[in-house]
Structure formats: C-alpha cells, structure tokens
Amino acid sequence: MQFPKQFLWGTASAAYQVEGAYLEDGRGLSIWDAYTQAPGHVAHGENGNVACDHYHRFREDVKMMHDMGIHNYRLSISWSRVIPDGTGKINKKGLQFYSDLVDELLANGIEPLVTLFHWDYPLALHHKGGWLNRESTDWFAEYAKVVVEALSDRVQYWMTINEPQVFIGNGYDNGRFAPFLKLPRNEVAQMCHHVLLAHGKAVEVIRKYAKKTPSIGFAFVTPAYSPRSNSAEDIETARSRTFSVNPEDIAFSAAWWADPIFFGKYPEDAYEKLGCDMPTVLPGDMEIISTPVDFYGVNIYESKAAYNPDGYSENAYLGCPRTQIEWPITPEALYWGPKFLYERYGKPIIITENGMAAHDWVHLDGKVHDPNRIDYMKRYLRELLHAIQDGVPVIGYMYWSIMDNFEWADGYDKRFGLVYVNYQTQERTVKDSGYFYQKVIETNGEAIFSDILD
C-alpha cells in the first residue's frame, strides 16, 4: 500500500534551532537570543548562539539531505536576520543567505517550504510591545513582503506562522518559553487576536506579491483527542473535546485559532467561557483573518483521551510508553487529528511536524542505531495512511527534524533528528532512522509495512 502520487515527503527545521551565527552579518537579536542568556530559563544554560552552525554549513547539509533522498524541506526564516530591528532597514546579507539556501535546495532536487515565523521574535519589536501592540500585525506584513519579493520566484509553499499555541501559550501565559512571561488572560487573548490578524495580512501579502503561484497555509499544533472506542458516541465526544475552548489554557485550543481563519469568527463557547477577557475585534479584522488559505498545516505528536483529560488514549496507565521528551506514544493521533480537522475545515492537510526525541548516541561501530524511532515512524505513518484511505486528503508529511538541534527550554539534550549532531565537532551522522526514511520515500510509503527495523 502506498501514499498518493506526488505526496510531499520531507523534513523540517527552524532557524533559531539550527542556524547559529546569531551575531554575524548584520543579524539583529531575537527574544530567544536575549532571554536564553539569562540564567534559569534553559537547561544547562544553553542557547542557540552556535546551534548546528547551519548558517555556515548549509551546503553540506543540503547535500546530505539529497543523499538521504529527501524531496521537501520545510525551513523557517529568521525575521531579525532579514530585518535586524524588525522593521525598516533590510539586511541584504541575511536575505541573501536564504536566497542561497533556496537555490542550493533546488539544485539538489529538494523543494523548499518556507515558514515566515517560528518563534524567534525580533527583540527590538518586543520592546515596542510585541504581539500585544496592534502595530505588530503591520510589522509582520512588512516583513512578509520583503521575504516574498525575494524568494517567491522559486518558492511555492508558504506557511505564515508556526505553532502560535506554543509561542503564545508558553511564552506569555505560563512563562516556559521566551520571553518567559505570565500575562493576564485578557492580554494573552488580545495577543492571539493580533497573531491571527498578522497571519491574515501575511496571506494577503503573499497572494499580492508572489511571483510563482503560491500555496499558502500555516503550521498549527492540534490537541487531537482520540475516542475510547469506534462507537458514534465516543467519536463525537473526542471530536467535541478536540475543538472545545479551555478558558484556563485558551492558547492551546484548536478552534480558537482555526475557526476565525475558516469561519470568520471565534468559537461560540469562547464567548461563554472568556466573557470580558475576549479580545477587542475592530471592524474588518475578521475579513482579513479569514483570507482564504490553501491547506491546513498541522504539527501532531500525540493524542489525548477524550474520556480522561488527565490521561492519554492508549496509555493512561503506570509505565506508559513515552519519548525522551516524555510525550506519550500515541500513533492514532495521525488518524484522528487529520480526520477531525478535515471534517471541520474542509482543507487538504500537510503534517508539518511529527517525530520523536530519543536517547541517541554514536555506537562503537560508528553508527547511530535508533530502532525505537523507526518503530515510531512506522506506527504513526500507518495511521496517517489509514486516514488517507478513509478519505482525508493528506498531501504531505514533514518529519521533525532533519537533524538534532536546540530544543528550546530543553537545550540540546533532546534529540529529534534523523541526523545525529556532535555539538563539539559539528560532525553529522545519519541515523538508522534516516536511512529508513529514505526507503519510505523511495517506496512512497511501502517500507512502513516491512518487518525489519533497518
């Protein structure tokens, strides 16, 4: 059994997590540059100053991806590398880096998918109020225009924003991520609205200025809930939980973000649950936010149990299987998540992230053996294929991530990559899972049904 023809098989990364070179060639600081330098925020006091040194090593990294048979690469742009102060003067060297990266990918037969924003907000704009300032929506549109004018002659696939649930929820609500703030709920809600408005304005900009006909979406994360059984009642309970708004954790609610984009309004239960904490919406905002997109990009790693909000569908028991980052292993997330999203919003799905962190190291034979990651990929991709067979138009899968990298507040301990990175020497070693993924791509998915783990 195979995936659809022309299926987008790829991998992903994010600028701050891999590039390094944080002060080189005119790049401005981001909130992650600034706030990881303060003690107590990141494991071992680590930061992305050097990371995987992708800024200097991108050509060898792209060659490595080519040799691995990768067809697509989802990358993100560092806003402050392109416009150091967030607005105003363009850094030509920074923009040239991304132009060169795109050229190198295309020369190696790899199609780029570009994400405009993956959490590294310019520090200069943070000092002006950041996402709480309504002007942030125009700042983002200005930045989007610069990138689109530079790259859209070669780039077709665009994602405006990655995981607003996480950079708002963890950055400004619970204080786990940069800038490590805990703001009142009404301010968090207003930030969410400005992020959505920025997304809508960016979509308008891409449509207006793209030189190559664009395919536009985003990369949200979805708290997919799984039913206890296949009964109609249990499935409806899971669907309801997937799209309900949690007033104590609004940023992580799927419908809170997607309903305004696809329906032009916030979910009804949001008004009931948030009351006076709902954001201020000016005339015309919802029309901009709901500017049509072409696909629903979604990052899915796990599912939750609709029947037990404190547990997980497959493993709400002592000793349940978990990844190195302690996320439960729930392959059915790639069935129910895409299914529920397509039923509600009616757009093709791209899995913009899926993968696992594992305890990886170079073995005595000089190789990195990670059979657990191969097993994980088989289980999750089988469920994704099941969703496709049941009529969900899934058009792509981007494994997270191409290489081990800076995992935000967890530093460098958590290794998600298909490629092992020795951070002392910057040597890359393709893991067994990387070679396995090459077989998956070569067979258009048939390899996920093999019994062997290599």
Side-chain angles (χ1 to χ4, degrees), residues 402-436:
I402 177 57
M403 69 183 91
D404 299 335
N405 54 48
F406 178 76
E407 187 49 40
W408 308 111
D410 288 306
Y412 292 93
D413 285 345
K414 315 301 183 187
R415 294 181 176 270
F416 276 86
L418 296 173
V419 175
Y420 182 92
V421 178
N422 180 323
Y423 297 113
Q424 281 70 48
T425 65
Q426 291 297 337
E427 181 181 1
R428 276 78 158 135
T429 303
V430 179
K431 303 175 187 178
D432 287 354
S433 60
Y435 294 114
F436 169 73

Short mmCIF file of all heavy atoms in Angstrom, two decimals, residues 402-436:
data_model
loop_
_atom_site.label_atom_id
_atom_site.label_comp_id
_atom_site.label_asym_id
_atom_site.label_seq_id
_atom_site.Cartn_x
_atom_site.Cartn_y
_atom_site.Cartn_z
N ILE A 402 15.14 17.30 10.65
CA ILE A 402 16.18 16.75 9.82
C ILE A 402 17.40 16.38 10.66
O ILE A 402 18.01 15.33 10.46
CB ILE A 402 16.59 17.74 8.69
CG1 ILE A 402 17.73 17.18 7.86
CG2 ILE A 402 16.91 19.10 9.21
CD1 ILE A 402 17.47 15.84 7.21
N MET A 403 17.76 17.21 11.64
CA MET A 403 18.93 16.91 12.47
C MET A 403 18.65 17.31 13.92
O MET A 403 17.77 18.12 14.20
CB MET A 403 20.17 17.63 11.93
CG MET A 403 20.15 19.14 12.10
SD MET A 403 21.62 19.93 11.36
CE MET A 403 21.02 20.25 9.71
N ASP A 404 19.39 16.72 14.82
CA ASP A 404 19.33 17.14 16.21
C ASP A 404 19.60 18.64 16.29
O ASP A 404 20.42 19.17 15.53
CB ASP A 404 20.38 16.41 17.05
CG ASP A 404 20.19 14.89 17.06
OD1 ASP A 404 19.05 14.43 16.86
OD2 ASP A 404 21.20 14.19 17.27
N ASN A 405 18.94 19.32 17.23
CA ASN A 405 19.13 20.76 17.30
C ASN A 405 18.77 21.30 18.68
O ASN A 405 18.48 20.52 19.60
CB ASN A 405 18.33 21.46 16.19
CG ASN A 405 16.86 21.09 16.20
OD1 ASN A 405 16.22 21.11 17.25
ND2 ASN A 405 16.32 20.76 15.04
N PHE A 406 18.77 22.60 18.80
CA PHE A 406 18.44 23.27 20.06
C PHE A 406 16.94 23.12 20.32
O PHE A 406 16.13 23.65 19.57
CB PHE A 406 18.82 24.75 19.97
CG PHE A 406 18.47 25.56 21.19
CD1 PHE A 406 19.22 25.47 22.34
CD2 PHE A 406 17.37 26.41 21.17
CE1 PHE A 406 18.90 26.22 23.47
CE2 PHE A 406 17.04 27.17 22.29
CZ PHE A 406 17.81 27.07 23.44
N GLU A 407 16.59 22.39 21.36
CA GLU A 407 15.18 22.10 21.64
C GLU A 407 14.65 23.06 22.71
O GLU A 407 14.22 22.69 23.79
CB GLU A 407 15.01 20.63 22.07
CG GLU A 407 13.58 20.17 22.23
CD GLU A 407 12.69 20.51 21.06
OE1 GLU A 407 13.14 20.39 19.90
OE2 GLU A 407 11.55 20.91 21.30
N TRP A 408 14.74 24.37 22.38
CA TRP A 408 14.15 25.43 23.19
C TRP A 408 14.55 25.33 24.67
O TRP A 408 15.73 25.23 24.95
CB TRP A 408 12.64 25.46 22.97
CG TRP A 408 12.27 25.53 21.51
CD1 TRP A 408 11.67 24.55 20.77
CD2 TRP A 408 12.53 26.60 20.59
NE1 TRP A 408 11.52 24.95 19.45
CE2 TRP A 408 12.04 26.21 19.31
CE3 TRP A 408 13.12 27.86 20.71
CZ2 TRP A 408 12.13 27.02 18.19
CZ3 TRP A 408 13.21 28.68 19.58
CH2 TRP A 408 12.71 28.26 18.34
N ALA A 409 13.62 25.31 25.58
CA ALA A 409 13.97 25.32 27.01
C ALA A 409 14.66 24.04 27.46
O ALA A 409 15.27 24.01 28.53
CB ALA A 409 12.71 25.56 27.85
N ASP A 410 14.61 22.98 26.65
CA ASP A 410 15.28 21.73 26.98
C ASP A 410 16.73 21.70 26.49
O ASP A 410 17.41 20.68 26.67
CB ASP A 410 14.51 20.54 26.40
CG ASP A 410 13.22 20.29 27.14
OD1 ASP A 410 13.27 20.14 28.38
OD2 ASP A 410 12.15 20.24 26.50
N GLY A 411 17.18 22.77 25.86
CA GLY A 411 18.56 22.80 25.39
C GLY A 411 18.84 21.73 24.35
O GLY A 411 18.02 21.46 23.47
N TYR A 412 19.99 21.08 24.48
CA TYR A 412 20.44 20.13 23.46
C TYR A 412 20.30 18.66 23.87
O TYR A 412 20.72 17.77 23.14
CB TYR A 412 21.90 20.42 23.08
CG TYR A 412 22.06 21.74 22.35
CD1 TYR A 412 22.35 22.92 23.05
CD2 TYR A 412 21.87 21.82 20.98
CE1 TYR A 412 22.49 24.13 22.38
CE2 TYR A 412 21.99 23.03 20.30
CZ TYR A 412 22.30 24.18 21.01
OH TYR A 412 22.42 25.38 20.35
N ASP A 413 19.70 18.42 25.02
CA ASP A 413 19.58 17.04 25.49
C ASP A 413 18.64 16.20 24.64
O ASP A 413 18.85 15.01 24.44
CB ASP A 413 19.09 17.01 26.94
CG ASP A 413 20.17 17.41 27.93
OD1 ASP A 413 21.35 17.44 27.53
OD2 ASP A 413 19.83 17.70 29.08
N LYS A 414 17.56 16.81 24.16
CA LYS A 414 16.51 16.08 23.44
C LYS A 414 16.85 16.02 21.96
O LYS A 414 16.94 17.04 21.29
CB LYS A 414 15.15 16.74 23.64
CG LYS A 414 14.84 17.13 25.08
CD LYS A 414 14.88 15.96 26.04
CE LYS A 414 14.48 16.41 27.45
NZ LYS A 414 14.65 15.35 28.45
N ARG A 415 17.01 14.81 21.46
CA ARG A 415 17.43 14.63 20.07
C ARG A 415 16.27 14.10 19.21
O ARG A 415 15.86 12.96 19.34
CB ARG A 415 18.63 13.68 20.01
CG ARG A 415 19.90 14.27 20.66
CD ARG A 415 21.07 13.31 20.56
NE ARG A 415 22.30 13.89 21.11
CZ ARG A 415 23.18 14.60 20.42
NH1 ARG A 415 22.97 14.82 19.12
NH2 ARG A 415 24.27 15.09 21.00
N PHE A 416 15.77 14.96 18.34
CA PHE A 416 14.66 14.62 17.45
C PHE A 416 15.13 14.21 16.05
O PHE A 416 14.33 13.77 15.24
CB PHE A 416 13.73 15.83 17.28
CG PHE A 416 12.69 16.00 18.36
CD1 PHE A 416 13.00 16.68 19.52
CD2 PHE A 416 11.42 15.49 18.21
CE1 PHE A 416 12.05 16.86 20.52
CE2 PHE A 416 10.46 15.67 19.19
CZ PHE A 416 10.77 16.35 20.36
N GLY A 417 16.38 14.40 15.72
CA GLY A 417 16.81 14.35 14.33
C GLY A 417 16.90 12.98 13.70
O GLY A 417 17.06 11.96 14.37
N LEU A 418 16.82 12.99 12.37
CA LEU A 418 17.19 11.83 11.57
C LEU A 418 18.70 11.77 11.40
O LEU A 418 19.25 10.76 10.99
CB LEU A 418 16.54 11.91 10.19
CG LEU A 418 15.01 11.87 10.14
CD1 LEU A 418 14.52 12.13 8.72
CD2 LEU A 418 14.47 10.55 10.66
N VAL A 419 19.35 12.89 11.75
CA VAL A 419 20.80 13.00 11.67
C VAL A 419 21.33 13.40 13.04
O VAL A 419 20.83 14.33 13.66
CB VAL A 419 21.23 14.05 10.62
CG1 VAL A 419 22.73 14.24 10.62
CG2 VAL A 419 20.73 13.65 9.23
N TYR A 420 22.33 12.66 13.51
CA TYR A 420 22.96 12.95 14.80
C TYR A 420 23.98 14.07 14.62
O TYR A 420 24.76 14.07 13.67
CB TYR A 420 23.66 11.69 15.32
CG TYR A 420 24.30 11.85 16.68
CD1 TYR A 420 23.60 11.53 17.84
CD2 TYR A 420 25.62 12.29 16.80
CE1 TYR A 420 24.20 11.67 19.09
CE2 TYR A 420 26.23 12.43 18.03
CZ TYR A 420 25.50 12.12 19.18
OH TYR A 420 26.09 12.26 20.41
N VAL A 421 23.95 15.04 15.55
CA VAL A 421 24.91 16.14 15.52
C VAL A 421 25.80 16.07 16.75
O VAL A 421 25.31 16.06 17.88
CB VAL A 421 24.20 17.50 15.46
CG1 VAL A 421 25.24 18.64 15.48
CG2 VAL A 421 23.33 17.61 14.22
N ASN A 422 27.11 16.00 16.52
CA ASN A 422 28.09 16.12 17.59
C ASN A 422 28.33 17.62 17.77
O ASN A 422 28.97 18.26 16.94
CB ASN A 422 29.38 15.40 17.22
CG ASN A 422 30.44 15.48 18.30
OD1 ASN A 422 30.59 16.50 18.97
ND2 ASN A 422 31.21 14.41 18.46
N TYR A 423 27.81 18.19 18.86
CA TYR A 423 27.86 19.64 19.00
C TYR A 423 29.26 20.17 19.31
O TYR A 423 29.50 21.36 19.18
CB TYR A 423 26.87 20.08 20.09
CG TYR A 423 25.44 19.76 19.74
CD1 TYR A 423 24.72 18.82 20.47
CD2 TYR A 423 24.81 20.39 18.68
CE1 TYR A 423 23.41 18.52 20.15
CE2 TYR A 423 23.50 20.10 18.34
CZ TYR A 423 22.80 19.15 19.08
OH TYR A 423 21.50 18.86 18.75
N GLN A 424 30.17 19.29 19.69
CA GLN A 424 31.55 19.73 19.90
C GLN A 424 32.31 19.88 18.58
O GLN A 424 33.10 20.79 18.40
CB GLN A 424 32.30 18.74 20.81
CG GLN A 424 32.00 18.88 22.29
CD GLN A 424 30.59 18.42 22.63
OE1 GLN A 424 30.16 17.36 22.21
NE2 GLN A 424 29.87 19.24 23.37
N THR A 425 32.03 18.98 17.64
CA THR A 425 32.76 18.98 16.37
C THR A 425 31.89 19.39 15.18
O THR A 425 32.41 19.63 14.09
CB THR A 425 33.32 17.58 16.09
OG1 THR A 425 32.21 16.66 15.90
CG2 THR A 425 34.18 17.09 17.25
N GLN A 426 30.56 19.42 15.38
CA GLN A 426 29.59 19.67 14.32
C GLN A 426 29.57 18.56 13.27
O GLN A 426 29.01 18.72 12.19
CB GLN A 426 29.83 21.03 13.65
CG GLN A 426 29.52 22.22 14.54
CD GLN A 426 28.07 22.30 14.96
OE1 GLN A 426 27.19 21.76 14.30
NE2 GLN A 426 27.80 22.99 16.08
N GLU A 427 30.13 17.41 13.59
CA GLU A 427 30.05 16.27 12.68
C GLU A 427 28.62 15.75 12.62
O GLU A 427 27.94 15.63 13.64
CB GLU A 427 30.99 15.15 13.15
CG GLU A 427 30.98 13.94 12.22
CD GLU A 427 31.90 12.83 12.71
OE1 GLU A 427 32.52 13.01 13.79
OE2 GLU A 427 31.99 11.79 12.03
N ARG A 428 28.15 15.43 11.43
CA ARG A 428 26.82 14.87 11.22
C ARG A 428 26.93 13.37 10.95
O ARG A 428 27.80 12.93 10.19
CB ARG A 428 26.15 15.51 10.01
CG ARG A 428 25.42 16.84 10.29
CD ARG A 428 26.34 18.00 10.40
NE ARG A 428 25.63 19.26 10.13
CZ ARG A 428 25.74 20.35 10.86
NH1 ARG A 428 26.55 20.38 11.92
NH2 ARG A 428 25.09 21.46 10.53
N THR A 429 26.03 12.58 11.54
CA THR A 429 25.96 11.15 11.29
C THR A 429 24.51 10.78 11.03
O THR A 429 23.65 10.97 11.90
CB THR A 429 26.48 10.33 12.49
OG1 THR A 429 27.83 10.72 12.79
CG2 THR A 429 26.43 8.84 12.20
N VAL A 430 24.23 10.28 9.85
CA VAL A 430 22.85 9.87 9.54
C VAL A 430 22.51 8.65 10.40
O VAL A 430 23.25 7.67 10.43
CB VAL A 430 22.70 9.53 8.05
CG1 VAL A 430 21.26 9.08 7.75
CG2 VAL A 430 23.06 10.74 7.18
N LYS A 431 21.39 8.73 11.10
CA LYS A 431 20.96 7.63 11.97
C LYS A 431 20.29 6.54 11.13
O LYS A 431 19.91 6.76 9.97
CB LYS A 431 19.96 8.16 13.01
CG LYS A 431 20.51 9.29 13.87
CD LYS A 431 19.44 9.84 14.81
CE LYS A 431 19.92 11.09 15.55
NZ LYS A 431 18.89 11.66 16.44
N ASP A 432 20.13 5.39 11.73
CA ASP A 432 19.41 4.31 11.04
C ASP A 432 18.04 4.78 10.57
O ASP A 432 17.56 4.40 9.50
CB ASP A 432 19.24 3.10 11.97
CG ASP A 432 20.55 2.34 12.17
OD1 ASP A 432 21.55 2.67 11.51
OD2 ASP A 432 20.55 1.40 13.00
N SER A 433 17.39 5.61 11.39
CA SER A 433 16.06 6.11 11.02
C SER A 433 16.12 6.98 9.77
O SER A 433 15.17 7.03 8.99
CB SER A 433 15.45 6.90 12.17
OG SER A 433 16.27 8.01 12.52
N GLY A 434 17.25 7.68 9.58
CA GLY A 434 17.40 8.48 8.37
C GLY A 434 17.46 7.61 7.13
O GLY A 434 16.86 7.93 6.09
N TYR A 435 18.17 6.49 7.22
CA TYR A 435 18.22 5.55 6.09
C TYR A 435 16.87 4.86 5.90
O TYR A 435 16.45 4.59 4.76
CB TYR A 435 19.32 4.52 6.32
CG TYR A 435 20.71 5.12 6.31
CD1 TYR A 435 21.50 5.13 7.45
CD2 TYR A 435 21.23 5.69 5.14
CE1 TYR A 435 22.78 5.69 7.44
CE2 TYR A 435 22.50 6.25 5.12
CZ TYR A 435 23.27 6.25 6.27
OH TYR A 435 24.53 6.80 6.25
N PHE A 436 16.19 4.60 7.01
CA PHE A 436 14.86 4.01 6.88
C PHE A 436 13.89 4.97 6.19
O PHE A 436 13.13 4.58 5.30
CB PHE A 436 14.30 3.63 8.26
CG PHE A 436 12.84 3.26 8.24
CD1 PHE A 436 12.44 2.05 7.71
CD2 PHE A 436 11.88 4.14 8.72
CE1 PHE A 436 11.09 1.71 7.66
CE2 PHE A 436 10.53 3.81 8.67
CZ PHE A 436 10.14 2.59 8.15
#
